[in-house]
Amino acid sequence: MLKDGEPYIILGSPGGDDQVMRTMQTLINVLDFGMNVQQAIEAPRWSSRAFPASPFPHTMYPGDLSVESRVPEAVRQALIAKGHKLTVAGAWSLCSNAAIMVDGKHGVLLAGADPRVEAYAWAR
């Protein structure tokens, strides 16, 4: 992604349909919540199968939503009250993500790696 025409952040995630959700959540955590890339990657995640899956037969599960157990109970109850069919997954279980951010002001790269898998972030 560019910011003011300059490289700003690159994000990536392995996997199928969930990779878009993980990448979007990390980006939102950086842009809207002011987290650094490591904080954004480590934040609790959610995942949904409420849309047609990419592989044939494109199954979908309306209302399906999974959250990591680190999502607060009050948030979980609010999601259920809105009609979501909620599944609570393990604390650090909803796959992986990585990011590199360019700090042009200071001339450095910032990197983040997901503790949900064996991964390392290296930047100089």
Side-chain angles (χ1 to χ4, degrees):
M1 183 177 113
L2 301 177
K3 182 177 182 181
D4 300 325
E6 297 293 326
Y8 179 64
I9 190 169
I10 184 167
L11 304 120
S13 178
D17 292 333
D18 276 3
Q19 65 185 323
V20 174
M21 288 180 267
R22 287 190 297 276
T23 302
M24 176 192 65
Q25 289 171 65
T26 301
L27 186 59
I28 288 170
N29 287 339
V30 169
L31 297 178
D32 293 337
F33 298 109
M35 296 180 188
N36 67 45
V37 290
Q38 189 63 47
Q39 292 168 325
I41 290 168
E42 290 182 12
R45 288 211 185 108
W46 57 267
S47 180
S48 178
R49 298 181 303 157
F51 55 89
S54 295
F56 184 82
H58 311 294
T59 54
M60 61 185 286
Y61 303 91
D64 175 85
L65 183 64
S66 296
V67 297
E68 289 182 336
S69 62
R70 296 179 300 128
V71 170
E73 182 64 28
V75 173
R76 292 188 234 162
Q77 292 306 314
L79 292 167
I80 292 168
K82 290 180 181 283
H84 293 283
K85 298 171 188 165
L86 195 68
T87 301
V88 179
W92 296 90
S93 64
L94 293 181
C95 292
S96 66
N97 208 348
I100 299 170
M101 191 172 197
V102 179
D103 180 348
K105 180 179 177 183
H106 297 101
V108 296
L109 299 176
L110 309 166
D114 208 318
R116 292 167 181 88
V117 295
E118 188 173 324
Y120 304 94
W122 294 39
R124 310 193 304 155

